[in-house]
Amino acid sequence: MTRLLIVDDENYLVESMLSSIPWEMSGVTDVAGAYSANEALALLEEDDFDIVITDVKMPEMDGLELTAAIKKRWKYVKCILLSGYAEFELVKAGLQHEASDYLLKPVRDEVLLARVKELAAVQQREKEQERAYLDSKAFLHQSVPLLRLKLLNDLIFGNHPSQKQLSEQMLRYEIGIRIGDYVSILLIRIEHEAQEPKGTDDKLMTFAVTNILEELLAEGYEQWAGEDLYGHLLFVVKQKEIVAETESLAQIADHLLRIVRKLYKLTVSVIICPPDIFPGCMQSSYQQGVASFRRYLGEERDTIVTIGSQHPNRDPSVLTSLHRLPLFVHLLEAGQWDSAASKLQEVVNEWRQLFDGSYEHLMEIYHSLSADFFYYVLKNGEKITDYHLLSGIKLHTIEDLYKWASELIARLQSAMNDDVSRHRRSLVSQVQMYVQENLGHDLSLQSISEHVHMHPVHLSKVYKNDTGENISDYVLRLRMEQAVTLLHNRELKVYEIAEQVGYKNPAYFIRVFKNHFNVTPQEYRNE
């Protein structure tokens, strides 16, 4: 739908162009006229037009000035300049004012119609591109919180992108922190009161606490909020340079505790890690904060701990590879057995390098892997007893643990492969039974795949891998075997046999039969 505005101070020229030119041939659905530049601008204010055709020489405001005014306010509008003068300076000026074309009078109707049609097509493409850009921008805007959260968790678990990638992501996700900034990490644990009614929406509470803290930090700190895998709220903050007097993080945390207690009858505990250089500090500061919940708070509630001189900055005693994404349980769920074995080897290597001889850390690995194996086995409907996960395992060395976990991975992989094989055998059986029962009907790959609820390409691949034969070859073979059996009944006509084995066209059946047996059905019967 293209709307056109014609502008000229010669009234009869406007009227003539309005009435005599078949604008609909160029896709124009509506055309209007104006007798001065000011009238044209007034019409553009009131209504939407896509293309303006204007004379250059007009009193008060000429066509060049009109084009400049239009492009300033309505950039999408295409302007065609008409002039009786083939002057280079006019052409140059028109281009400078972003005119889409400059045509000399008199202009043949077919030339003008062709140019309008071309500009309408260009404008349509531009509108589609603009819509696509806005759609992608809206999608990115909606996705930004998730992308920020993923990047934050990547950093605290040691999955660092390159500095260039990180800088680009921070800018794209509109995070007000830069590489080299001094940042502090705040970890917040939401603690429900004992008398709190059941059914309270944890996500709503998390959202509320996040909003309150964001508002408290807004004046003096750049901030980046998220949530870790264990349900802690996580804030990375940097003090703004332009704010002269800023409340300390401990003061802000105290405000948070009071507000949350008053409004939501909740308690929260806050760990404030000492400032360090971003992004190198992210993993160590985070681990230090998580360890501090256990070391300094335990079951205490409504508490603020600022890690500093009174709480020395000890090296984190957590196996980072064990908790770094992708988690071991995720690899089991995805059936990535080689990656799971590599993850196990990575954890074992870290234990040997950093915690050699530590039975506590050996047990940390065992209990973590054991929980992952429990989860995977139960989720897949297996019996825990089949894998001896309930019986006590005597582990004295890292070699014992590695052997135990490696053998379990191998057993789970073997069991899954057996399940896959059983499923495939069942699938092949379903396909063959369906074909045998429907030889006289549609046996296209699409119809068979719909019957077994699988994608045609995947079904074809699975069937071929398991039987060594294409489904189409199996269907043909059964139809030909059935045709041979039916040919022994001399009361049946060839066209009747063709129909019974799924061929509506007897001539085509005869051709297929001959290609398969080197004789026609009748010749086979006569033999």
Side-chain angles (χ1 to χ4, degrees):
M1 181 172 148
T2 301
R3 305 193 71 219
L4 176 68
L5 178 62
I6 300 169
V7 188
D8 200 310
D9 60 319
E10 298 287 349
N11 292 14
Y12 74 93
L13 288 176
V14 174
E15 298 299 332
S16 174
M17 292 177 71
L18 288 174
S19 59
S20 64
I21 299 177
W23 295 109
E24 65 278 2
M25 292 178 62
S26 62
V28 172
T29 55
D30 191 17
V31 59
Y35 306 111
S36 69
N38 287 325
E39 186 181 350
L41 290 173
L43 285 173
L44 284 161
E45 287 279 4
E46 295 175 2
D47 214 340
D48 291 327
F49 288 93
D50 302 294
I51 299 173
V52 174
I53 300 174
T54 179
D55 189 24
V56 172
K57 295 292 185 179
M58 293 188 296
E60 297 182 12
M61 180 188 292
D62 64 24
L64 295 174
E65 294 171 321
L66 173 61
T67 298
I70 290 173
K71 299 304 288 186
K72 186 176 181 179
R73 299 187 60 183
W74 301 283
K75 289 189 175 296
Y76 62 89
V77 174
K78 304 296 181 186
C79 297
I80 300 175
L81 294 172
L82 300 181
S83 176
Y85 305 93
E87 296 179 10
F88 174 73
E89 290 302 322
L90 281 176
V91 175
K92 182 179 177 182
L95 294 175
Q96 287 174 341
H97 288 91
E98 299 182 69
S100 300
D101 210 341
Y102 187 99
L103 300 176
L104 285 176
K105 293 179 180 179
V107 185
R108 298 199 314 273
D109 290 355
E110 58 269 24
V111 173
L112 192 55
L113 288 171
R115 191 59 186 133
V116 167
K117 187 174 183 179
E118 289 173 9
L119 288 178
V122 169
Q123 190 178 62
Q124 181 63 29
R125 287 196 297 272
E126 290 175 351
K127 287 181 178 179
E128 290 172 355
Q129 290 170 356
E130 177 70 12
R131 279 196 294 270
Y133 169 74
L134 292 175
D135 287 345
S136 63
K137 191 173 181 180
F139 177 76
L140 178 62
H141 179 73
Q142 294 171 355
S143 304
V144 160
L146 292 176
L147 295 170
R148 285 178 180 166
L149 181 60
K150 182 183 182 304
L151 180 59
L152 183 57
N153 274 275
D154 282 347
L155 292 175
I156 62 176
F157 286 106
N159 298 325
H160 283 216
S162 68
Q163 285 208 355
K164 181 181 178 183
Q165 288 176 321
L166 179 58
S167 295
E168 291 173 352
Q169 288 174 320
M170 301 289 282
L171 285 170
R172 194 181 310 126
Y173 304 159
E174 300 175 352
I175 300 169
I177 294 170
R178 298 292 174 263
I179 292 174
D181 285 346
Y182 271 86
V183 299
S184 294
I185 288 181
L186 279 68
L187 275 168
I188 299 96
R189 183 178 68 189
I190 299 176
E191 302 150 342
H192 298 280
E193 295 285 1
Q195 69 269 26
E196 182 182 337
K198 292 184 178 180
T200 299
D201 191 331
D202 289 344
K203 290 185 177 180
L204 182 60
M205 292 299 99
T206 299
F207 179 76
V209 173
T210 301
N211 272 357
I212 292 169
L213 187 50
E214 284 176 342
E215 290 182 10
L216 292 172
L217 290 166
E219 184 177 352
Y221 295 88
E222 298 289 352
Q223 55 188 282
W224 179 10
E227 192 174 351
D228 70 5
L229 295 175
Y230 310 110
H232 300 118
L233 286 180
L234 181 66
F235 275 73
V236 183
V237 300
K238 179 192 77 170
Q239 188 169 349
K240 294 179 180 177
E241 296 177 1
I242 59 172
V243 180
E245 296 184 5
T246 304
E247 285 190 304
S248 70
L249 293 175
Q251 289 173 316
I252 290 174
D254 185 61
H255 293 325
L256 175 68
L257 266 62
R258 294 173 186 274
I259 294 170
V260 169
R261 191 186 311 126
K262 182 177 180 180
L263 293 181
Y264 300 106
K265 300 295 188 292
L266 290 174
T267 61
V268 297
S269 290
V270 182
I271 298 288
I272 304 172
C273 299
D276 209 336
I277 299 175
F278 179 85
C281 68
M282 292 293 289
Q283 186 178 12
S284 59
S285 291
Y286 169 73
Q287 289 180 350
Q288 186 181 3
V290 172
S292 296
F293 272 123
R294 181 182 68 252
R295 186 179 304 139
Y296 304 127
L297 297 184
E299 296 300 317
E300 290 185 31
R301 293 168 173 261
D302 210 21
T303 306
I304 300 169
V305 172
T306 301
I307 301 174
S309 56
Q310 73 274 35
H311 303 301
N313 185 7
R314 293 185 281 182
D315 291 335
S317 57
V318 178
L319 281 146
T320 57
S321 59
L322 189 61
H323 306 288
R324 185 186 304 132
L325 297 175
L327 298 177
F328 185 73
V329 69
H330 295 161
L331 297 174
L332 294 181
E333 285 184 291
Q336 297 180 13
W337 306 108
D338 291 342
S339 298
S342 298
K343 179 83 170 181
L344 173 63
Q345 186 65 63
E346 182 185 4
V347 172
V348 168
N349 290 343
E350 184 183 359
W351 184 91
R352 284 175 172 151
Q353 291 170 7
L354 301 179
F355 307 105
D356 194 6
S358 170
Y359 188 72
E360 178 184 351
H361 290 90
L362 188 66
M363 287 297 98
E364 179 190 1
I365 299 172
Y366 167 71
H367 288 299
S368 178
L369 296 183
S370 183
D372 292 343
F373 285 131
F374 256 92
Y375 174 80
Y376 176 82
V377 169
L378 290 173
K379 185 178 179 181
N380 285 275
E382 302 280 350
K383 293 181 180 179
I384 295 294
T385 52
D386 290 345
Y387 296 92
H388 307 294
L389 287 172
L390 290 175
S391 56
I393 304 295
K394 294 182 179 180
L395 301 175
H396 300 290
T397 66
I398 194 69
E399 288 75 18
D400 293 338
L401 182 141
Y402 182 76
K403 182 173 182 290
W404 165 77
S406 296
E407 289 176 353
L408 257 179
I409 291 172
R411 287 189 62 195
L412 291 173
Q413 181 179 6
S414 176
M416 190 190 78
N417 290 340
D418 289 344
D419 285 343
V420 170
S421 296
R422 282 195 296 270
H423 174 71
R424 286 184 173 177
R425 286 195 296 272
S426 172
L427 181 66
V428 168
S429 177
Q430 288 180 59
V431 168
Q432 292 179 342
M433 186 173 296
Y434 181 76
V435 170
Q436 292 166 16
E437 293 174 353
N438 293 275
L439 280 178
H441 301 92
D442 175 27
L443 286 177
S444 63
L445 180 59
Q446 183 65 40
S447 66
I448 297 172
S449 64
E450 287 175 359
H451 176 71
V452 296
H453 309 293
M454 284 186 68
H455 191 279
V457 175
H458 183 55
L459 173 62
S460 180
K461 184 178 179 181
V462 169
Y463 189 91
K464 177 70 180 288
N465 287 341
D466 205 72
T467 66
E469 184 178 32
N470 290 321
I471 291 178
S472 58
D473 293 336
Y474 175 72
V475 171
L476 175 63
R477 179 164 60 82
L478 253 65
R479 280 177 164 166
M480 293 299 101
E481 290 173 359
Q482 180 68 4
V484 166
T485 300
L486 294 173
L487 282 168
H488 289 95
N489 183 351
R490 294 185 175 273
E491 294 183 1
L492 288 174
K493 307 295 184 182
V494 170
Y495 73 85
E496 292 175 329
I497 294 173
E499 188 171 353
Q500 287 189 37
V501 295
Y503 294 94
K504 305 304 179 187
N505 186 334
Y508 179 64
F509 164 68
I510 293 170
R511 187 162 66 251
V512 171
F513 190 95
K514 186 172 183 179
N515 287 338
H516 196 76
F517 293 108
N518 294 321
V519 292
T520 66
Q522 191 59 49
E523 289 171 342
Y524 183 90
R525 173 175 274 173
N526 292 337
E527 289 178 359

